[in-house]
Structure formats: structure tokens, C-alpha cells
Amino acid sequence: MPTRSGLFPRNFKKSFPIASRGEGCWIIADDGRRFLDASGQAAVVSIGHGVSEIGRAMSEQSSQIAFAHTSQFHSVQAEKLAARLLAMAPANFGSGGRVYFTSGGSEATETAIKLVRQYCLEAGRKDRYRVLSRRQSYHGSTLGAMSVSGNVARRAPYEPLLAEWGHIAPCFCYHCPFDKTFPQCELACAEDLQTQFSAGKKTDIAAFIFEPVVGATLGAAVPPEGYAARISELCRTNGILLIADEVMTGMGRTGQPFAVQHWGVEPDVILVGKGIASGYAPLGAVLVSALVVEAFERGSGAFMHGFTYQAHPVSTAAGNAVLDFLEAHKLFAQVNTAGRNLRGALVPLQSHPNVGDIRGLGLLLGVEFVKDKTTREPFAKEQNIAEKIRQACLEESVLTYPTQGGVDGLRGDHILLAPPFTISAAECALIARALQAAVAKVFSA
Ligand SMILES: Cc1ncc(COP(=O)(O)O)c(C=O)c1O
């Protein structure tokens, strides 16, 4: 690292090695150290690092034409990727759906918020604008996306700037907000959405946004059977749109192209990011179902929104090349096998007195650490357990994604594991060994 960096870092109190090369599931620093990427760099990298054909596809596109503004041109790459994404999505996107490409997940959320507002105007429902969401969720770092997020720590400094449109209870069985147990709970957390419609002002609600599996904030919390379907039903019966934020869970990460497909749910809008270009280019997407598209087509015909770099030809070329690689190497199916390998390797960890829960779907897994396994009591925030585990794993050359606050916004420690889909059984064993060493070190102190 240069002695005096010109970069504004994420954290001035940390030092960051220079990543100089990537090979499969490994990142190699300029000083030669090798790190096993157990987190896929925040659940981004799906096909692995250093796949040279992606760079070749991007270079090919950029040497043909790197950029043409979407107010004047479309590109072959964007057209092709849009058609492929719609074909992978639930049936209501297949005929008449469209894709709006962005440069990442936050822009996708921001776009969806404005899209549903304008949809309401196009559909003659001009009073509707509120996008309901859940506490303990994350939908991005821009102000609209942060307004619908419920991640306490990430919101805290910006509270005065954020709109308050209403948050319902999280769906988190390990720390149920209603102190209930599935199935006797009768999905109280889903029914919490209905209270927003029963209480006073409801004619201004436009949509509900949720992460089908809650990623960073809750450490891969998977909803119980029936949750997603009930949420979808409540949106339909109350006449609002359903937005599935699949920025983390989409593009195969959970073992289906989109996580909602595990439960046969058809949202009106699906948000994609991260894995769509596996980190090779900044890219996100808003998949818009036929119902919403038709309102624009019949109505004003123009979405009052735009980014200079939307549907960028080089980024969408990366997206197509990544999808080619996923298909050619059958990596969508590989997620389930690799997920089972990683879960299997983690089994011995489960008996540790401070490992409360190991959960997740496909290759999006979370390990939660608790002070008391019987009561599920979390550690005090000041003990910084998640960060200590990350640091101890790093000393074993394994990269993880730590988060605090899963229980009540402040307390609760977990790490997220989301390696590339190409992770081998031997690499899964390395991750498990590093975690065991980390747990032994952190909890013996
Ligand atoms: C579910 C979800 N939505 C949105 C975002 C924001 O995406 P980005 O960081 O690409 O803006 C994230 C990022 O972690 C996410 O996990």
C-alpha cells in the first residue's frame, strides 16, 4: 500500500492490501499473499476471478463501440442480455416484460422506487407513492434506497435525510420479532404487512420491497415455507406492486436463477446487481413485468428517469459473457452441490457453544455467533465479535463478510459466506477449518 494514499477509503483506521490478481476462488495481493474468497467479495463473484474470456468480450465490445447514449441508441449487447434475463425470470416477465439496466444495485432500487411511482400515475392512481419495506433489511446506499432499508447502523447518520414510508417486521425465525415459532406463528411477520393496510392511511401505498433471503443485515435468513407466497397474496389483494430485491440472491446465488422461484412467486419487479456481471463490470438491472410495462406503453410512453451510463454496452457485454460462462460450465446447477459441500464442511462448527445458527440457501450462507446458545442471547456490541472473527479468518487467509446488528440493529454478530459457484470441496474444507480456528481463537480469549 502506498504510504500516502490518494484514495478516500471505506475506513481510515484500516489498511488495505492491493489486490493484484485473481484466480478462481483466490485473490492474490501484490506482496504475494493469497486469500481464499469465501464471501465472493460481498456475494458478487459467481464465476470466479480471472476468467479471461470476460475481459476479451468487454474488449471486443469496446473496440467496436464503447458508448452510445440510450436517448439515441440501443446496443446489441444490452438487447441480448435483456432477452436472456427475461427468459430466466418468472413467467409474468416472459411475454411483454422489459429490463432497465443500471450500474449497480442501489441504482436499481432507486429506479424501482421511481418506476412504481410513475406506474401509479400512468394507472390513474396519483395518490400512491409509498414503498413499504421491512426493518432489518438493506436495499442500497443512495437516499431513496436507504429510505426503504431497515439496516439501523447504515441508516443512523442519515436519518434526517430519509423519507419514512413505513417498515414492517422482519422475517427472522432464529430471533422471531413476535417470539413465536413456525408454524404455530401462522406467519405473523407476513401478516404484519396487512396491518399497514388496515391502519388509517393506506391509499398512498404503491409497493412493498423485500429481500427474498435477507443477505448482509441478517446473515442469509431464509423465510419459512409460505412466507413469500403470503406476502405476494397480500400485495395482490391490496392492489400494490411487489418488488423482489434480488441484488444479492439473484443470478443463481441461492440455487435458482432468482430466489423467488424457490416458492413459485411472481413479483412485479425484480432487482438484480452483484452476480449479474460477477464483478467484471459495474452492472445492475430492474426486471419489469408485463403488467407494469403495459401501463407505460398505454400511458405517457416515457419514464421520467435516466442515468448517463444505463445499459452500458461494455458492462452488458460482460453480463452476456458471464451468463455464457455460467451456462457453459453448468454453474447454476453447481450452486446446489457446492452449497451442500460447504454446509457439510461447516457441520462440526455447529457444536461450538458460541455458534448459534448456520443458515442459508445455496451458496448464500450465514453463521451467527451467540453468547448463550440456549437463550440465543447475543454478545454486547462493544465485543465486536463479527469483526474479530473476520480478522481471525483473515489470519488463516480466508475472506469473510462480517456484520453486526442482526438481532436489534445493534447487537447480533454473524458472518456471511458467499463464495464463487466454482468453489471446490477442498476449498470448502479450507473455509471450515479457518472458521474453526477463528472461533477457537476469538472465544478462548
Ligand atoms: C439486497 C441488496 N440490495 C441492494 C444493494 C445495493 O447494491 P450496490 O452496493 O451495488 O449499490 C445491496 C448491496 O449489498 C444488497 O445486498
Side-chain angles (χ1 to χ4, degrees):
M1 168 134 140
T3 44
R4 179 84 193 143
S5 173
L7 281 175
F8 196 102
R10 282 194 177 234
N11 189 331
F12 281 90
K13 308 243 161 83
K14 283 186 182 165
S15 69
F16 299 88
I18 299 284
S20 62
R21 228 156 30 82
E23 279 171 17
C25 295
W26 296 82
I27 293 182
I28 298 118
D30 65 346
D31 57 8
R33 281 181 297 161
R34 294 172 63 86
F35 300 99
L36 178 54
D37 188 7
S39 63
Q41 297 302 286
V44 171
V45 181
S46 57
I47 65 168
H49 298 276
V51 178
S52 54
E53 51 259 56
I54 313 303
R56 280 200 294 278
M58 293 169 72
S59 157
E60 173 67 18
Q61 177 57 45
S62 111
S63 58
Q64 294 290 326
I65 180 160
F67 181 74
H69 200 276
T70 45
S71 62
Q72 292 169 356
F73 293 99
H74 283 183
S75 73
V76 169
Q77 293 291 349
E79 290 282 6
K80 183 174 164 193
L81 187 57
R84 295 172 85 181
L85 293 175
L86 292 170
M88 287 162 53
N92 60 324
F93 290 83
S95 147
R98 299 274 185 148
V99 179
Y100 193 104
F101 287 109
T102 63
S103 302
S106 300
E107 278 189 7
T109 304
E110 216 61 45
T111 299
I113 291 169
K114 291 170 79 176
L115 182 88
V116 298
R117 166 60 182 157
Q118 196 177 329
Y119 164 81
C120 292
L121 294 176
E122 304 288 356
R125 310 167 89 198
K126 63 176 176 28
D127 293 337
R128 294 185 183 264
Y129 66 94
R130 275 203 286 148
V131 179
L132 303 175
S133 57
R134 299 187 297 190
R135 296 190 288 279
Q136 300 290 72
S137 60
Y138 183 62
H139 299 290
S141 61
T142 50
L143 291 176
M146 193 48 71
S147 290
V148 291
S149 296
N151 184 307
V152 176
R154 293 181 187 182
R155 284 173 60 101
Y158 308 108
E159 284 294 349
L161 311 180
L162 303 179
E164 185 43 76
W165 293 325
H167 292 83
I168 69 162
C171 174
F172 190 15
C173 293
Y174 189 67
H175 294 286
C176 174
F178 300 95
D179 269 332
K180 294 188 175 181
T181 309
F182 182 77
Q184 290 76 21
C185 64
E186 296 181 327
L187 295 172
C189 52
E191 297 308 320
D192 204 37
L193 179 57
Q194 184 58 41
T195 62
Q196 295 281 330
F197 297 101
S198 312
K201 210 161 149 239
K202 58 184 179 190
T203 52
D204 57 0
I205 303 173
F208 176 70
I209 183 169
F210 80 125
E211 294 164 83
V213 176
V214 184
T217 315
L218 296 184
V222 182
E225 203 49 51
Y227 176 84
R230 180 64 182 142
I231 285 288
S232 171
E233 185 184 2
L234 287 171
C235 289
R236 296 276 167 272
T237 51
N238 288 289
I240 67 162
L241 298 179
L242 176 61
I243 306 169
D245 179 349
E246 298 245 15
V247 168
M248 199 175 264
T249 53
M251 304 310 291
R253 169 71 48 203
T254 69
Q256 287 279 349
F258 301 103
V260 287
Q261 290 166 316
H262 287 287
W263 308 290
V265 165
E266 295 191 343
D268 301 292
V269 177
I270 297 179
L271 311 183
V272 194
K274 297 186 183 269
I276 186 172
S278 189
Y280 285 83
L283 186 63
V286 182
L287 276 57
V288 187
S289 64
L291 170 91
V292 178
V293 171
E294 278 160 22
F296 281 80
E297 282 173 345
R298 273 199 314 269
S300 69
F303 184 20
M304 202 49 72
H305 177 66
F307 301 106
T308 297
Y309 285 135
Q310 72 187 61
H312 195 281
V314 180
S315 298
T316 47
N320 277 310
V322 164
L323 204 41
D324 288 342
F325 193 90
L326 286 166
E327 287 171 0
H329 297 266
K330 301 192 170 31
L331 292 184
F332 282 114
Q334 177 60 21
V335 169
N336 294 312
T337 315
R340 274 194 299 275
N341 286 341
L342 186 52
R343 278 296 264 260
L346 295 175
V347 165
L349 198 66
Q350 183 79 67
S351 58
H352 189 281
N354 298 111
V355 174
D357 194 25
I358 301 179
R359 54 180 174 254
L361 203 53
L363 274 177
L364 187 63
L365 302 183
V367 181
E368 180 171 335
F369 306 99
V370 291
K371 188 169 166 193
D372 184 324
K373 209 160 172 160
T374 318
T375 60
R376 303 182 181 182
E377 186 193 344
F379 287 98
K381 178 180 163 46
E382 296 68 35
Q383 284 186 261
N384 236 347
I385 294 295
E387 173 54 22
K388 283 181 185 157
I389 296 279
R390 182 198 73 86
Q391 185 58 41
C393 285
L394 186 65
E395 284 158 21
E396 302 292 320
S397 301
V398 170
L399 305 169
T400 57
Y401 181 167
T403 304
Q404 269 198 312
V407 174
D408 55 13
L410 293 172
R411 295 173 313 147
D413 294 88
H414 65 255
I415 53 136
L416 202 63
L417 299 175
F421 304 172
T422 51
I423 188 103
S424 68
E427 288 165 334
C428 290
L430 282 179
I431 296 171
R433 266 211 297 281
L435 262 167
Q436 263 172 316
V439 158
K441 187 169 182 179
V442 170
F443 296 117
S444 69

